[in-house]
């Protein structure tokens, strides 16, 4: 019985050590990960918006209509960019929660 308790204690200590090392690694990464997330969300919204605006300007120049193609595609690009950013943030959030659940086990 004494040996089983020792093995169990060693296993628990080993798991705690792994969790602490992982937490130390994540805390150093968190600032950079936050900045990376901020940049990724910004670019995810900005690129489709700018592309939509450029396409709209080209259409306004070559195919003039009563509606503004520039404004139409600017709004469409903004909506698409927001959807892309939303999906990316949701995926990152899901991964973060999975990591937390694995730590608690």
């Amino acid at each position: 019985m004494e040996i089983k308790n020792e093995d169990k204690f060693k296993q628990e200590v080993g798991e705690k050590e792994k969790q602490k090392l992982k937490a130390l690694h994540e805390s150093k990464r968190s600032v950079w990960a936050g900045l990376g997330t901020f940049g990724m969300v910004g670019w995810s919204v900005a690129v489709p918006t700018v592309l939509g605006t450029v396409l709209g300007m080209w259409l306004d120049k070559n195919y003039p209509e009563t509606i503004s193609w520039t404004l139409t595609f600017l709004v469409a690009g903004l909506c698409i960019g927001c959807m892309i950013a939303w999906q990316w943030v949701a995926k990152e959030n899901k991964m973060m929660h999975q990591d937390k659940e694995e730590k608690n086990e």
Side-chain angles (χ1 to χ4, degrees), residues 16-86:
K16 296 276 185 182
E17 182 181 9
K18 286 179 188 177
Q19 287 178 350
K20 285 186 179 187
L21 289 173
K22 189 174 180 181
L24 284 173
H25 175 68
E26 287 178 358
S27 67
K28 290 179 184 176
R29 193 190 82 184
S30 67
V31 172
W32 292 110
L35 290 174
T37 300
F38 181 73
M40 182 64 186
V41 169
W43 282 107
S44 295
V45 174
V47 170
T49 303
V50 170
L51 291 176
T53 303
V54 170
L55 176 63
M57 289 171 59
W58 181 81
L59 286 171
D60 277 339
K61 183 178 178 182
N62 293 314
Y63 302 101
E65 289 288 329
T66 56
I67 64 165
S68 170
W69 289 115
T70 303
L71 187 58
T72 302
F73 281 98
L74 181 136
V75 171
L78 181 63
C79 291
I80 290 169
C82 288
M83 287 189 301
I84 291 170
W86 183 277

